[in-house]
């Protein structure tokens, strides 16, 4: 009945499992993290049409929400801050979850040896993280969920993306899903399609209209809640 | 009811599941295609057929849950709430910011549609006391108050500084509700005031979930990206009354039992639903590991103590009897 594997333990984890799981998500494979940071550093933003299109949609009229005021508060020009924010959001959502603070730390401390070597091994690091339990499906990562959710503040959400939940398959190659023909496309595949601007198949146009028929009349009174009976 | 009943929300990833407050065998599931990234939404009105379930035996399986009605929407559906005053009506909230009211005796289209929120609406909740109103919480950082017959929202609150993930009415006061936000706080509100009544810095991470204790009107429960669940006495917001540890990833939803002031259930990105007895020395009393992806929705039956429904990104709805939910009397 249960097909859970890996971290979805059915036995109650001791409190000691908390540090270990967080270390797994945060620190376990520094090499992989470095690879992600290097990939971000080397990312060709100018060539990414979808990013550029999204950027045009949020600039030059800055978003009206409060994150706008956040962006104008610090010293860098608002546009630069917004673009940086958008980059982190976009990268987290469509390439790989990335923690802005840790990236900045990494960038500040990284020597030149980091970037070139790690960048070359990006693709394998992405698809074969050493500490992630076997899929399918892969375990979620709350730390990366958090990043995605935080990143939503960047007001750069091309398509009503799911809340923060969506990083589950970012470390997984889609072939892992091969066992079940009915299993949907992986999260990463969908993200990549959206990022490329591909049309995701199967989206239907639902008429935006109200029901012509009159609503039903209520015939029942409310039932008491269990806590109201006591 | 023996075993586990399952339903496949084919092509749609479950986001929320809610028992009808009128019909004991009716549940609704709000869902989104493509994990909610892009594409359509679907509201499922499901019937729980306990006779078929009994016939299927302890192994459970097919036939126990049937789709009585499905409604398709342009964008993903992230939450739903049954009307507390009209047994056939249910409201949904969507990724495109829209709120739709449905009459389940009708097919295809909603009877109301509101489009005021400018971002994803992750929460909708019907007032349990003043049963003619509901609230929504959105990524646009606002909370809005609605009545089914009103063409516009009646009130908008803007105080959170990040996405709002959940808004829940107090079961004891029709004027009081609480909200959970990515700004790491939970806030308590009175509908008659523009500013919140209090702010709880609940976690050092985003607060994704929240509920009110049904038997102690001052107690709320929060769930967070930090994996923890905390209980709070809202009169003393500076410190939680209990921390419940065990989930291995972010806690996406928490609900307080309708039958006991001590029982809390939670759904998590760790693919489990867990049952907690907040009065026990070892509070985690059950781990429900029936899913193979993020569990986003959970609800407890008000009519059958111990019955619980879940939905998840694995396209599965489960209905099962969890003894740990029923063992505890208030």
């Amino acid at each position: 009945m249960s097909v859970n594997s890996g971290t979805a333990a059915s036995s109650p984890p001791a409190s000691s499992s908390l540090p270990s799981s967080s270390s797994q998500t945060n620190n376990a494979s520094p090499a992989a993290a470095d690879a992600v940071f290097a990939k971000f550093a080397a990312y060709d933003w100018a060539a990414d049409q979808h990013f550029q299109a999204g950027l045009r949609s949020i600039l030059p009229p800055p978003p009206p929400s409060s994150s706008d005021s956040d962006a104008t508060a610090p010293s860098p020009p608002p546009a630069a801050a917004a673009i940086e924010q958008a980059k982190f959001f976009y990268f987290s959502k469509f390439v790989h979850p990335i923690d802005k603070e840790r990236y900045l730390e990494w960038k500040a401390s990284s020597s030149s040896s980091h970037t070139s070597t790690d960048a070359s091994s990006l693709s394998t690091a992405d698809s074969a993280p050493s500490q992630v339990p076997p899929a399918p499906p892969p375990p979620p990562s709350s730390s990366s969920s958090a990043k995605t959710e935080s990143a939503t503040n960047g007001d750069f959400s091309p398509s009503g993306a799911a809340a923060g939940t969506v990083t589950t398959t970012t470390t997984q190659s889609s072939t892992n899903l091969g066992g079940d023909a009915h299993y949907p496309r992986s999260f990463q595949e969908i993200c990549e399609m959206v990022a490329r601007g591909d049309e995701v198949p199967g989206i239907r146009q639902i008429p935006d209209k109200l029901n012509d028929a009159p609503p039903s009349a209520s015939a029942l009174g409310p039932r008491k809640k269990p806590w109201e009976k006591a | 009811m023996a075993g586990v009943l399952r339903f496949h929300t084919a092509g749609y990833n479950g986001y929320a599941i809610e028992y009808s407050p009128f019909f004991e065998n009716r549940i609704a599931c709000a869902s989104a295609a493509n994990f909610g990234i892009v594409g359509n939404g679907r509201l499922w009105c499901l019937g729980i057929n306990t006779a078929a379930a009994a016939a299927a035996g302890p192994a459970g399986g097919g036939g126990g849950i049937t789709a009585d009605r499905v409604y398709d929407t342009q964008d993903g559906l992230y939450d739903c709430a049954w009307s507390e005053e009209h047994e056939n009506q249910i409201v949904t909230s969507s990724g495109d910011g829209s709120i739709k009211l449905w009459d389940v005796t009708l097919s295809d289209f909603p009877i109301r549609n509101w489009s005021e929120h400018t971002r994803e609406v992750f929460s909708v909740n019907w007032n349990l006391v003043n049963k003619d109103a509901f609230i929504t919480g959105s990524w646009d950082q606002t909370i809005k108050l609605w009545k089914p017959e009103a063409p516009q929202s009646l009130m908008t609150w803007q105080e959170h500084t990040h996405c709002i993930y959940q808004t829940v009415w107090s079961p004891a006061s029709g004027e009081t509700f609480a909200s959970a936000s990515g700004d790491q706080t939970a806030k308590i509100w009175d509908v008659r005031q523009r500013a919140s009544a209090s702010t709880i810095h609940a976690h050092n991470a985003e607060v994704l979930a929240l509920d009110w204790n049904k038997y102690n009107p001052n107690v709320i429960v929060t769930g967070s990206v930090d994996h923890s669940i905390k209980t709070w006495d809202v009169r003393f917001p500076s410190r939680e009354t209990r921390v419940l540890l065990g989930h291995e990833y972010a806690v996406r939803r928490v609900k307080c039992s309708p039958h006991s002031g001590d029982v809390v259930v939670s759904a998590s990105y760790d693919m489990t639903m867990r049952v907690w007895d907040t009065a026990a020395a070892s509070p985690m009393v059950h781990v429900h590991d029936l899913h193979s992806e993020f569990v986003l929705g959970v609800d407890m039956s008000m009519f059958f103590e111990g019955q619980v429904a879940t939905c998840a990104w694995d396209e599965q709805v489960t209905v099962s009897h969890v003894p740990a939910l029923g063992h505890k009397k208030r």
Side-chain angles (χ1 to χ4, degrees):
Chain A
M1 118 180 134
S2 166
V3 294
N4 280 345
S5 61
T7 59
S10 54
S11 59
S15 57
S16 62
S17 76
L18 274 176
S20 75
S21 74
S22 63
S23 73
Q24 176 185 333
T25 52
N26 293 331
N27 308 321
S29 43
D34 281 359
V36 171
F37 293 151
K39 187 171 182 174
F40 181 86
Y43 197 84
D44 190 352
W45 297 102
D48 188 321
Q49 299 285 327
H50 189 74
F51 175 76
Q52 293 300 329
L55 203 55
R56 279 193 298 276
S57 74
I58 62 169
L59 300 169
S65 80
S66 65
S67 62
D68 175 34
S69 54
D70 292 344
T72 51
S75 46
I83 291 169
E84 183 180 73
Q85 181 88 321
K87 282 180 179 175
F88 280 102
F89 175 77
Y90 183 90
F91 196 84
S92 284
K93 185 139 283 199
F94 297 118
V95 183
H96 195 286
I98 184 168
D99 183 320
K100 182 178 174 181
E101 303 306 321
R102 293 185 58 218
Y103 170 78
L104 294 175
E105 288 171 21
W106 173 87
K107 193 181 173 191
S109 67
S110 84
S111 62
S112 55
S113 63
H114 264 117
T115 32
S116 53
T117 53
D118 285 343
S120 61
S121 61
L122 282 177
S123 51
T124 51
D126 258 3
S127 56
S130 56
Q131 309 247 348
V132 173
S141 154
S142 79
S143 69
S144 48
S145 311
K147 305 314 177 293
T148 312
E149 284 176 356
S150 301
T152 58
N153 224 4
D155 279 321
F156 184 83
S157 179
S159 54
T165 52
V166 289
T167 52
T168 175
T169 46
T170 49
T171 55
Q172 171 218 24
S173 72
S174 53
T175 53
N176 285 351
L177 298 171
D180 181 352
H182 295 293
Y183 201 87
R185 279 177 216 91
S186 75
F187 173 77
Q188 186 177 9
E189 264 183 284
I190 308 261
C191 282
E192 286 167 353
M193 292 175 83
V194 172
R196 285 194 305 265
D198 292 355
E199 189 172 331
V200 175
I203 299 177
R204 295 183 299 127
Q205 291 304 309
I206 310 296
D208 184 16
K209 59 168 282 193
L210 295 181
N211 215 305
D212 297 326
S216 64
S218 171
L220 298 178
R223 294 177 70 164
K224 272 205 181 313
K225 310 293 184 190
W227 62 89
E228 295 170 333
K229 292 174 182 166
Chain B
M1 192 178 91
V4 177
L5 306 187
R6 284 181 178 275
F7 182 83
H8 183 200
T9 56
Y12 290 84
N13 308 103
Y15 267 84
I17 194 156
E18 294 290 323
Y19 275 95
S20 162
F22 291 91
F23 301 106
E24 57 266 31
N25 289 318
R26 183 176 287 177
I27 48 177
C29 177
S31 66
N34 303 318
F35 309 98
I37 305 161
V38 60
N40 301 115
R42 179 171 284 181
L43 174 67
W44 308 76
C45 294
L46 304 174
I48 305 167
N49 185 337
T50 46
I65 303 178
T66 53
D68 295 339
R69 192 73 88 172
V70 297
Y71 297 103
D72 290 337
T73 55
Q74 192 61 54
D75 215 285
L77 294 181
Y78 294 147
D79 202 6
C80 61
W82 289 98
S83 167
E84 293 285 338
E85 64 173 0
H86 193 307
E87 67 272 20
N88 297 323
Q89 296 186 356
I90 183 169
V91 63
T92 56
S93 68
S94 176
D96 61 12
S98 71
I99 314 294
K100 297 178 198 299
L101 184 69
W102 309 83
D103 186 312
V104 300
T105 66
L106 306 177
S107 57
D108 297 340
F109 298 109
I111 57 172
R112 291 268 182 190
N113 183 56
W114 297 273
S115 300
E116 289 187 26
H117 283 298
T118 57
R119 293 285 309 273
E120 292 83 344
V121 186
F122 247 58
S123 176
V124 58
N125 188 250
W126 208 284
N127 195 314
L128 297 168
V129 179
N130 297 333
K131 298 175 188 285
D132 62 344
F134 61 93
I135 44 171
T136 52
S138 166
W139 286 15
D140 69 12
Q141 306 180 4
T142 69
I143 300 163
K144 286 175 182 283
L145 174 71
W146 311 82
K147 293 194 175 186
E149 70 279 7
Q152 281 101 33
S153 62
L154 305 174
M155 185 81 140
T156 299
W157 292 272
Q158 181 149 26
E159 194 175 290
H160 281 296
T161 57
H162 198 293
C163 301
I164 294 164
Y165 294 111
Q166 201 160 14
T167 44
V168 189
W169 291 102
S170 163
S173 159
E175 277 76 42
T176 305
F177 65 89
S179 57
S181 167
D183 67 13
Q184 310 187 348
T185 71
K187 289 176 183 279
I188 311 297
W189 305 78
D190 184 309
V191 290
R192 296 159 296 196
Q193 306 293 326
R194 296 220 62 90
S196 64
S198 67
T199 297
I200 301 172
H201 188 97
H203 298 265
N204 289 318
E206 294 191 278
V207 189
L208 303 182
L210 173 149
D211 198 18
W212 292 84
N213 189 303
K214 306 299 188 294
Y215 293 90
N216 185 334
N218 294 312
V219 171
I220 65 166
V221 180
T222 56
S224 169
V225 163
D226 70 9
H227 313 181
S228 76
I229 298 163
K230 294 183 181 182
T231 64
W232 303 84
D233 184 323
V234 298
R235 296 166 298 181
F236 307 104
S238 61
R239 189 176 173 79
E240 70 274 4
T241 48
R242 181 125 200 209
V243 183
L244 305 174
L245 296 176
H247 276 301
E248 297 175 41
Y249 292 105
V251 178
R252 181 59 173 71
R253 206 173 286 273
V254 291
K255 281 198 180 160
C256 298
S257 168
H259 304 285
S260 164
D262 293 333
V263 174
V264 172
V265 299
S266 55
S268 166
Y269 297 152
D270 71 7
M271 302 187 260
T272 69
M273 183 277 286
R274 298 182 193 225
V275 181
W276 310 83
D277 180 346
T278 59
S282 300
M284 190 166 65
V285 293
H286 180 74
V287 179
H288 174 288
D289 61 350
L290 299 177
H291 289 287
S292 57
E293 257 290 357
F294 297 167
V295 186
L296 269 65
V298 60
D299 199 20
M300 285 163 281
S301 169
M302 279 191 302
F303 306 112
F304 304 117
E305 187 168 356
Q307 192 186 105
V308 62
T310 59
C311 70
W313 272 20
D314 61 5
E315 303 185 354
Q316 293 286 317
V317 165
T318 77
V319 174
S320 55
H321 186 83
V322 175
L325 271 175
H327 82 289
K328 184 102 184 177
K329 285 297 177 188
R330 53 195 177 275

